[in-house]
Amino acid sequence: MPYLSRIPLAPLRTGTRKLLNSPQAMHAAILGGVAYHPDPGRTLWRLDADNPHRPHLYTVTQVEPDFTALVEQAGWAVDNPHAKPTVADYKPLLANLEAGQTYAFRLTASPVQNTRTPQKPTPDQAARTAASTKERAPSHRLGHRTTHHQLAWFTSRVHKHGFELLTLPNTQDPAPGILPLPNTDTSGADPLLDVRVMARDRLVFNKTLTGPGGAKTGTTKVTVTTASFAGTLRVTDPVELARALITGIGSAKAYGCGLLTLAHPRSNQ
């Protein structure tokens, strides 16, 4: 039975700064909240820091979590209902999804492409290519760096995840500096899809490698390109959308990518 949790973080605390600066440390702290379960299943998380003074951590866990230790490390030490974490049973929302429903959504993902000929290969990629034959050249995973390609990556995947994007009214202008991709499946004048990139980032950090028994064997450099998408969707396949909500979209799920959340759209009035 999945659970959706929302944890307000206190950004000035030493423990919070450690988690904000290391996706690996954040992932480990979240897994600590379900470590007492013999089979916790897939855990998703996302950090929303639109307001850097009040960041929020969202998680989806397959079992009911206990984030007491995480809150003691990085939460607010005040008696305020808005500063307290909330944990909600996700099953009612998943069970009530129906085709035709509309929701506002948010997703932080890692838009990537696979290529055998990277323009600027890293030393590791160059070594892998040099060690291969022309007939069996390795495929390298590269992150999309531009807003246009990130939007194209996302819009090409929405249907297989059980939803479609709504369109903006003809009189509504897109967000300044960000042009959503046109819906090329519509005949006549192409309306703009209601999706935008709210934030983009390129995370570079060292990942600790461990061997048998958990012994540290070294570190490796990890680079993750992320994009945060927001807009309005319409449900087309409730089963596939529910699957996306609890298993995530795209790669780099251990580093804060893949968690899609829904909310009722705001009234036009």
Side-chain angles (χ1 to χ4, degrees):
M1 181 182 298
Y3 289 83
L4 174 66
S5 303
R6 178 177 181 268
I7 306 170
L9 301 179
L12 298 183
R13 298 188 65 177
T14 302
T16 309
R17 292 199 296 268
K18 175 185 176 181
L19 298 183
L20 295 180
N21 292 329
S22 172
Q24 188 178 19
M26 179 71 83
H27 182 60
I30 294 168
L31 291 184
V34 295
Y36 51 88
H37 288 278
D39 183 16
R42 162 70 72 180
T43 296
L44 303 173
W45 65 275
R46 187 185 76 222
L47 180 67
D48 286 359
D50 301 358
N51 183 342
H53 302 292
R54 290 185 295 178
H56 288 84
L57 173 66
Y58 291 85
T59 72
V60 168
T61 56
Q62 305 307 311
V63 294
E64 186 172 8
D66 181 356
F67 289 130
T68 301
L70 193 155
V71 173
E72 290 177 348
Q73 177 183 3
W76 289 91
V78 295
D79 187 15
N80 186 316
H82 299 290
K84 295 182 181 297
T86 56
V87 179
D89 183 358
Y90 219 2
K91 188 175 181 180
L93 172 66
L94 301 177
N96 289 324
L97 290 174
E98 295 181 0
Q101 293 174 333
T102 60
Y103 293 95
F105 73 88
R106 180 148 184 169
L107 165 73
T108 294
S110 179
V112 297
Q113 60 176 324
N114 292 316
T115 178
R116 300 183 185 277
T117 57
Q119 293 182 347
K120 297 180 179 180
T122 64
D124 178 65
Q125 292 170 346
R128 289 178 56 202
T129 300
S132 65
T133 63
K134 291 184 179 180
E135 292 76 15
R136 301 186 63 180
S139 178
H140 305 288
R141 176 176 289 183
L142 304 178
H144 287 299
R145 302 286 295 274
T146 68
T147 301
H148 175 84
H149 287 99
Q150 289 170 346
L151 282 167
W153 176 91
F154 175 66
T155 56
S156 68
R157 284 160 173 76
V158 298
H159 290 290
K160 76 173 184 178
H161 291 300
F163 62 93
E164 62 185 4
L165 299 171
L166 297 188
T167 56
L168 295 169
N170 293 333
T171 57
Q172 184 173 344
D173 294 327
I178 299 179
L179 183 64
L181 295 177
N183 179 1
T184 55
D185 293 334
T186 302
S187 59
D190 291 331
L192 297 176
L193 298 177
D194 188 6
V195 58
R196 54 204 174 277
V197 176
M198 304 293 293
R200 299 190 295 144
D201 203 356
R202 186 170 180 265
L203 309 176
V204 181
F205 56 95
N206 290 324
K207 177 183 177 181
T208 301
L209 302 177
T210 58
K216 180 178 178 181
T217 60
T219 61
T220 184
K221 184 178 179 180
V222 177
T223 301
V224 179
T225 302
T226 69
S228 295
F229 304 95
T232 312
L233 61 80
R234 179 184 294 110
V235 182
T236 57
D237 187 331
V239 174
E240 289 302 322
L241 179 55
R243 193 192 317 276
L245 289 171
I246 60 177
T247 64
I249 295 176
S251 60
K253 295 182 177 70
Y255 305 127
C257 297
L259 175 53
L260 173 71
T261 53
L262 306 180
H264 291 292
R266 295 179 179 179
S267 170
N268 293 332
Q269 300 178 357

